[in-house]
Amino acid sequence: MPAPRVRFAPAPTGYLHVGSARSALFNWLYARSTGGTFVLRIEDTNAELAKPEFYAAITDPLEWLGIDWDEGPYYQSERTQLYLDAIDRLLASGQAYHCDCSREAIDERNRAAKRSGYDGFCRDRGIDAGADTVVRFRTPDDGQTLVADLVRGDVLFENAELEDFVIRRSNGSPVFLVANAVDDADMGITHAVRGEDLLNTTPKVLLLWRALELGPEPTYAHLPLLVGADRKKLSKRKDSVALSDFRDEGFLPEAMVNYLALLGWSTGDDQEILSVDELIARFDLADVNKAPAFFDMTKLEHINGLYLRALTPSEFAARAMPYVTAADVPWAAADFDPARFEAFVPLIQEKVSKLSEVPGAVDFLFVADPPFDDASWEKVMVKGPQPAELLDGAAEVLADCEWSTDAVKDAVFAMGEGLGVNKSKTQAPVRVALTGRTVGPPLFDAIANHFTREETLRRIARARAAL
RNA sequence: GCCCCGUUCGUCUAGUGGCCUAGGACGCCACCCUCUCAAGGUGGUAACACGGGUUCAAAUCCCGUACGGGGUACCA
C-alpha cells in the first residue's frame, strides 16, 4: 500500500478556527504516523477569499502549533483554469448544462410544486452560455452514491435527493466542489479527512469525480464537529474560536495540540497527557469518535497549567517574556527588570494556568507602590485582627533580623504569636503591605530573596500610614 | 419540510456480547499538606436517552421513538 497523501484545505476567512486547527492536526498526525505526505491547499475559489492577507492568518497559527506541510500551500485561485477545463469537459459530454433560472423563478416553481432545490428546468433546454447563466451538473436520477467513511462506516445517499447543483457561477468562477475533485485527483490525495459539516457534499464530489473519470477515489474520514456550550457548531460570534486568541491568552502550543488531539480521539487507555511524538506514535483515524465534542476551556486551562509547570524556570521566563514586556502591562516599561523577573519565576510558576496571568502575579515587583486591592484591604486591615500592631511588630523585627527566608519567617511569626495571632492572620497584613493583595507568592521567600530590607520596611510603613 | 450524522457521569472519554456492583480525566465537594492562593495527596458526588426485540447473557447487535447536531447558496 502506497504511503497516504492527505491534505488540509481551509478556506481563508481571516483567521484559523480551532475546529480547522483540529482538522489540520488530525491530518498531520495521520501523515506523520504513517510516513505519508501532508499537503496544504488554500481553497479560495471565491474571489472574496482570495486575499493575500488572509493566507498568513492560516499559515502562522499552523506554524505556531508545529504543524508543518510537505507540499504547498497550493492556491486554488491560481489553478482556476484546471477547474474550468473540467467543467468544459462535462459540458461537452452532456453531463453539465447551462442554466439561466433566477433564484426567484426557482423558488416560485418550488412553491407551486411544493418541493425544494433545483428542479432541473434547464436540463434539456439546450441554452448557450450568457451573461447570467450558470453551469449545473446533471446528477443521476436514480441509483445511490456510497461514501465509505473511516469514522462513520458506509453512508448511503440517494442520487435522486441530489439536485443539479451549480458548478460554475455566472461570473465564470468554478465552485469548490469541482476544485475539490480535480485537486484531490491531481494531488493524489488518498485520504480526505475533514469536518462532518462536509459529509453531505461528499456524494456531489464523488459524482463529479466519476463523471470526470478521475481515477481511484480517496477514502473519506469525517471528524465530529467541535461544539460550544450551546452544543452548536463553534461560532465566531459566541465562542472564542480564533487560534491566535489562544496564543495571545498564553496557551502553550504543545498544550493546545495535546488538548485538540483529545477532542474526538483518545488513546484507548488512561493516558491523556501526550507529547507530539507520543501522539504521532499512537494516533489512528480508526480510533476517532463519531459524536460532537464540547470545547472545554476549563480542561484546556488545566492541561496548559500542567505544561506550564513542567517547564524549567528559565524556559517559563522566556516564554512569559512577551507577556511581561507587552504594552498593557501594569507598570512603566522602564521599571521592568528581566533578571529580577526571571529570579522570581519559581515563586509564581505553579500558580498560573495561562501566561497572560503572569503580569498580574508579579506587578508589585515593578510597581513601587502597588495599589491596595479593596477586598484585601477590607478583609485584613479593617476586619482582620490587630493590623496596626502586626505591621508595627513586623517593622520592628524586620529592622534587624537576619535577611533569610527562615529568619524572616520565624521573626514575624514569633512576633504574631506574642500578640496571640496565628500564622495565617499574622502574615496577611505584611502580604497586603508588600503586594497590595491577600493572594500571592510565598511571602517570606519573596521578602528575603527578592526585596531589600529598606524596601520591605518602606512598604510596611506605607500600609501602616494608610490604616 | 427533506436528506445525513449522532446519543456512556455536568464535560472529554474507556468500553467492540459475559472481565461492568461501568474505568480514567476535567469540574465540583470533603479532608490532608500549608504563611495566602495555587500546586500536590486522599476520598467522595455523578452516566449507559427511552421502548421493543435477538440471546443463557446487552452499554455493547437489530428495529422504533425521543432528543441533539449538520446540510439543504451562484460560502467552503
Side-chain angles (χ1 to χ4, degrees):
Chain A
M1 187 173 149
R5 288 178 59 84
V6 298
R7 62 1 184 232
F8 173 52
T13 54
Y15 64 101
L16 186 69
H17 189 284
V18 287
S20 301
R22 204 268 310 247
S23 291
L25 176 64
F26 279 34
N27 272 287
W28 183 81
L29 286 174
Y30 186 64
R32 292 291 171 265
S33 68
T34 57
T37 302
F38 179 67
V39 177
L40 177 60
R41 183 171 83 211
I42 309 295
E43 303 220 328
D44 54 354
T45 53
N46 182 337
E48 294 167 27
L49 303 180
K51 293 178 182 168
E53 62 267 33
F54 283 0
Y55 301 150
I58 289 173
T59 54
D60 287 352
L62 287 180
E63 285 172 358
W64 176 68
L65 287 175
I67 296 177
D68 56 341
W69 48 95
D70 305 306
E71 287 182 23
Y74 296 115
Y75 298 94
Q76 291 191 324
S77 57
E78 295 175 354
R79 299 167 55 83
T80 307
Q81 196 53 49
L82 252 32
Y83 318 138
L84 294 179
D85 290 346
I87 291 168
D88 285 341
R89 282 200 280 137
L90 294 173
L91 244 13
S93 65
Q95 291 170 290
Y97 58 89
H98 298 286
C99 166
D100 64 358
C101 295
S102 66
R103 186 71 248 170
E104 296 71 41
I106 295 170
D107 288 343
E108 202 170 310
R109 289 198 299 272
N110 282 342
R111 261 197 303 280
K114 288 189 169 178
R115 50 158 292 157
S116 64
Y118 179 67
D119 58 2
F121 186 78
C122 296
R123 268 195 164 191
D124 301 306
R125 288 174 66 208
I127 62 174
D128 294 325
D132 284 319
T133 61
V134 297
V135 174
R136 289 181 183 274
F137 178 69
R138 187 188 298 264
T139 57
D141 297 325
D142 48 33
Q144 303 167 318
T145 299
L146 175 74
V147 176
D149 193 291
L150 247 31
V151 173
R152 275 147 227 287
D154 291 348
V155 183
L156 214 50
F157 292 86
E158 293 292 336
N159 292 154
E161 298 288 347
L162 303 172
E163 63 176 5
D164 284 358
F165 53 91
V166 171
I167 55 178
R168 193 175 78 195
R169 304 183 183 92
S170 56
N171 68 6
S173 65
V175 304
F176 84 105
L177 296 162
V178 180
N180 207 280
V182 168
D183 281 349
D184 279 352
D186 191 48
M187 297 172 188
I189 300 303
T190 60
H191 299 262
V193 181
R194 13 105 99 147
E196 197 203 335
D197 51 344
L198 272 335
L199 181 55
N200 290 298
T201 70
T202 307
K204 295 180 182 177
V205 173
L206 250 19
L207 253 16
L208 285 169
W209 191 289
R210 289 163 193 171
L212 289 165
E213 299 178 313
L214 294 175
E217 297 161 11
T219 298
Y220 285 86
H222 288 93
L223 310 173
L225 259 20
L226 260 32
V227 299
D230 56 2
R231 301 305 300 184
K232 292 186 195 302
K233 187 162 66 163
L234 240 35
S235 82
K236 186 171 189 171
R237 255 200 88 73
K238 310 184 297 279
D239 313 287
S240 184
V241 297
L243 210 65
S244 52
D245 290 346
F246 290 89
R247 179 190 51 204
D248 294 347
E249 271 232 38
F251 287 100
L252 260 23
E254 53 269 46
M256 203 70 204
V257 163
N258 194 151
Y259 180 64
L260 248 20
L262 257 21
L263 255 22
W265 173 82
S266 69
T267 58
D269 59 30
D270 292 337
Q271 189 178 355
E272 289 198 323
I273 303 305
L274 302 105
S275 67
V276 171
D277 286 343
E278 286 175 308
L279 287 173
I280 291 171
R282 308 193 61 168
F283 184 80
D284 191 337
L285 281 177
D287 297 328
V288 173
N289 288 130
K290 303 180 204 310
F294 170 66
F295 189 89
D296 188 352
M297 196 67 82
T298 307
K299 183 147 185 177
L300 206 211
E301 289 184 8
H302 171 257
I303 290 178
N304 199 55
L306 293 178
Y307 277 86
L308 243 20
R309 272 172 256 129
L311 298 174
T312 64
S314 65
E315 279 172 340
F316 182 97
R319 301 182 75 158
M321 208 50 82
Y323 297 83
V324 289
T325 54
D328 60 350
V329 116
W331 53 77
D335 293 336
F336 180 69
D337 177 349
R340 193 168 181 218
F341 168 66
E342 186 164 347
F344 200 76
V345 158
L347 301 193
I348 55 115
Q349 184 169 357
E350 66 186 18
K351 298 177 189 301
V352 302
S353 60
K354 295 181 290 190
L355 291 173
S356 57
E357 295 165 5
V358 173
V362 299
D363 56 352
F364 51 84
L365 284 178
F366 310 113
V367 177
D369 295 321
F372 297 118
D373 170 66
D374 288 344
S376 296
W377 186 268
E378 176 77 11
K379 180 181 178 187
V380 176
M381 305 299 199
V382 178
K383 295 186 171 163
Q386 315 174 59
E389 291 79 356
L390 287 168
L391 286 175
D392 289 340
E396 191 182 330
V397 299
L398 292 179
D400 58 7
C401 77
E402 182 195 327
W403 208 243
S404 71
T405 302
D406 286 344
V408 168
K409 186 201 301 179
D410 293 345
V412 172
F413 282 155
M415 175 279 299
E417 199 176 350
L419 290 171
V421 179
N422 69 23
K423 292 178 178 179
S424 174
K425 303 283 191 191
T426 297
Q427 59 93 39
V430 182
R431 179 183 294 281
V432 172
L434 203 81
T435 70
R437 291 181 297 268
T438 53
V439 171
L443 185 60
F444 305 109
D445 189 336
I447 290 175
N449 302 308
H450 302 276
F451 282 89
T452 60
R453 191 188 303 271
E454 293 66 35
E455 177 64 3
T456 301
L457 293 175
R458 188 189 69 76
R459 290 192 182 200
I460 289 173
R462 169 178 168 255
R464 178 68 178 84
L467 274 176

